[in-house]
Every structure is written in C-alpha cells, then in structure tokens.
Amino acid sequence: MIVSSTSDYRKAAQRRLPRFLFDYVDGGANAEDTLRANVADLRAVNLRQRVLKNVSDLSLATEWFGQHSELPVILAPVGLSGMLARRGEVQLAHAAAKRGVPYTVSTLSICSLEEVASQSPRPLWFQLYVLKDRGFMQSMLERAQCAGVEVLVFTVDLPVHGSRYRDAHSGLSGPFARQRRILQALTKPGWAFDVGIRGRPHELGNISKYLGQATGLQDYIGWLGRNIDPSIAWTDLEWIRDFWKGPLILKGILDPEDARYAVRFGADGLVVSNHGGRQLDGALSTAKALPPIADAVGNELEIFVDSGVRSGLDVVRMLALGAKGVLLGRAAAYALAAAGQAGVDNMLEIFAKEMRVAMTLTGVSSVDQIDRRILA
Ligand code: FNR
C-alpha cells in the first residue's frame, strides 16, 4: 500500500485495529459536528500564493521556552496509545526524538512515564489531568520532575467526560463491553498477536504505579469517571504553578477570556484546543477560536493549537492564524496504529515535506516569518 497522507494512515489503522480501538481514536462527542468543523474550517483557510521570492534556504526549525525543535510540531498526549501498537508510547517517543520534536506522555498512557523516560527520548513533555485525587497529582508532578520532563501540559477541558456515543456502540464501554472487545480482537489477528499478546501489560501505567495495583482497560472509563473533577476552579490550581518551576502549558483553552485567566494564573503557554472534538460538541473549531486568542494574549505567552490538523499544509495554516506550535493527535495515532514507529517517522517526514512546499509557495523561508500576511 502506498502511504502518502494522514487519510491513508487512517484507512490502514481501521484495517488493523479492533473496532473499539479504531472508534476510540477516530470518534468525537455527540454528533461529531465540532470534530468535522475542526477539519473543514481549517481546510477553508486560504493561503496567499507568492512567486519568485527565492526561498532556497528554508528552515522548519523553531524554539519554545529556549528549547530547539526541528519542526513546529509536538506529538499530542493520546491516552491508551499502548493499545494502538506494542508499547505504543515508547514507539511514539522514539519517533519524536528521531525527528527532533517533543513527545507528550499522557496521564492515561499504557506505558508509565518512567518506562518512556528510561529510553531517554528528548525532548519529553508530560500531560496531567485535573483529578480529584490531589495526592495522585502531587505524586505525578514529583515523578515528572524525577523523569526529567521539560514541559508540563496541564489539560483543563476535561472536568467531565464528553458524550462519546461511538465508545458505547463499539465496546469500549457499555453492556458486555469486555466480551465484545475480545470478539473484535479475534477478527484482527495481526493486532491481537502483536499488541493483544506481546504488548502486555495493558495497564494504565501511571495509575497502576501510584495505586500499587494493576488497572486494566476495563477500569479506564470507570476510573476516569470517578476521578475527573468538575469542582475545579482557577484558584485550586495555584499550588501546581507554585510547585512546577519549569514551563507550564494549559491545554484546552477556547475563549479569549479564559486565555486572559491563563496569563493571570502564570501559565507560560496555552493550547487552543477542543480536545479534537471529543468534549463539547458545538464548540468552535480551533481554526476559528485561535485568531482572537492570539490577538488577546499572543504577546504574553506561547500559543499552541491542535484539533483538525491532518497535514503539513494545515500546520502552516495554524501558524498563519497565530500559533507558534501545533500538536498532532489523530495524525500520529493513525500512523502509530498502522505501522508503529516507522509509521510515525514517515508521517513526520510527510508533514515536513508538505510544510516545505507550502512555505516555498507562500514565499517564506522560516517558521517565524509565517503570520497573517500569508493568508489570502
Ligand atoms: C486525545 N486527547 C488527549 N488529550 C489529553 O490532554 N490527554 C489525553 O490523554 C488525551 N487522549 C486522547 C486520546 C485520543 C484517542 C485522542 C484522539 C485525543 C486529545 C489530544 O491531545 C488532542 O487535543 C487532539 O487529538 C487534537 O485533535 P486531532 O489532532 O486529533 O484532531
């Protein structure tokens, strides 16, 4: 099979994964309107073609918080990545390190932060959720420090789990979920052998380590439901800012007013994100939400964005709309599921190539030259 785009990897992931896992990655909240709008609104952003600008000396490198990155992209936190490919988080970390971009380990990863960090991939970021068990949060922050995590990504848009109907239909949750998952796995022998058998243990590595007991996939939705915290408010978070001395990014900001709160809170960056359309269906796409947020606080902290990015061209569009860095969620997840680290290596190469083409044809030779002037 010839793989030349995210959509090829999506199809390959669908062929390889049991249905409950493909739908877990691919799906969004409710009617999935925001999921679709993320992609459609970004694709509708027109770029200004320029010619004869001599862009032979082109660089895709950038810097955040004094850290160099070879591309203006970061691999986003994706829970349960270790179910998509054998020890998937470790493979993602290797791919990111090889291409010189950061990888963000999720709180809800299969491999623990320590398992990933022991492979010494750099740069390593860690994503933390707001959870009821503040002891867990405190201990995770300490573990992140010990593991040499450079940047803390604090996800704030999950005070409640989004209504993801596909998960109930496919067997990630709902009646007879376990039996349905086993039946689906039997129809995907490649995945069943490589991940289902050789990829064990399938625990939530970070949480098992904290609880001192195994936590399986069946515990995932239950644990999340019991532990996400709708009572959280800005003032409850101050201890985290006090504790974490390194760069801290708030992920899940969609409104300029919240962006101003993020500045007051002392965040070093924020991610304009609707969680890939997995939380509030009907929320603005990030292509629409980003420009007013960049206008409001772009001079005060580093602006990142995600949701709907499927190509290097999309990365250039997001930079033109005001972002300084772009997180890749599903694009990396599909590639990982389809072909492991090699898939993610290739996906990053495809993105880099597409960025180069887009930059050449819009007449810019470096990432910091990309701004609204290249929008048509
Ligand atoms: C996510 N996302 C996510 N975010 C986070 O902060 N912690 C997490 O554990 C997860 N888990 C997760 C699982 C899966 C399967 C997906 C698709 C997404 C959200 C993710 O970091 C990112 O915000 C979105 O994926 C961006 O949208 P796109 O690029 O997938 O459209």
Side-chain angles (χ1 to χ4, degrees), residues 24-27 35 38-39 76-80 84 106-109 127-129 153 155 157 164 220 251 271 273-278 306-310 327-331 333:
Y24 161 69
V25 173
D26 198 56
L35 171 64
N38 282 334
V39 174
V78 168
L80 307 185
L84 308 181
S106 162
T107 298
L108 300 174
S109 55
Q127 174 266 324
L128 186 64
Y129 274 122
V153 177
T155 298
D157 63 0
R164 306 192 194 150
Y220 165 70
K251 175 172 178 284
V271 187
S273 171
N274 53 38
H275 219 101
R278 298 163 78 80
D306 70 20
S307 303
V309 177
R310 301 290 181 265
L327 282 73
L328 307 179
R330 291 184 185 82

Side-chain angles (χ1 to χ4, degrees), residues 302-315:
E302 211 73 279
I303 309 272
F304 299 87
V305 70
D306 70 20
S307 303
V309 177
R310 301 290 181 265
S311 67
L313 181 58
D314 288 342
V315 171

Side-chain angles (χ1 to χ4, degrees), residues 85 88 90-98 335-336 339-347:
V90 172
Q91 298 202 54
L92 283 167
H94 281 312
K98 188 169 164 194
L336 176 74
Q341 186 196 328
V344 186
D345 290 345
N346 188 39
M347 186 274 303

Side-chain angles (χ1 to χ4, degrees), residues 129-145:
Y129 274 122
V130 182
L131 298 164
K132 280 189 186 135
D133 187 341
R134 299 294 147 85
F136 173 78
M137 290 176 74
Q138 175 84 40
S139 110
M140 249 357 289
L141 287 172
E142 285 162 9
R143 285 165 60 187
Q145 235 170 22

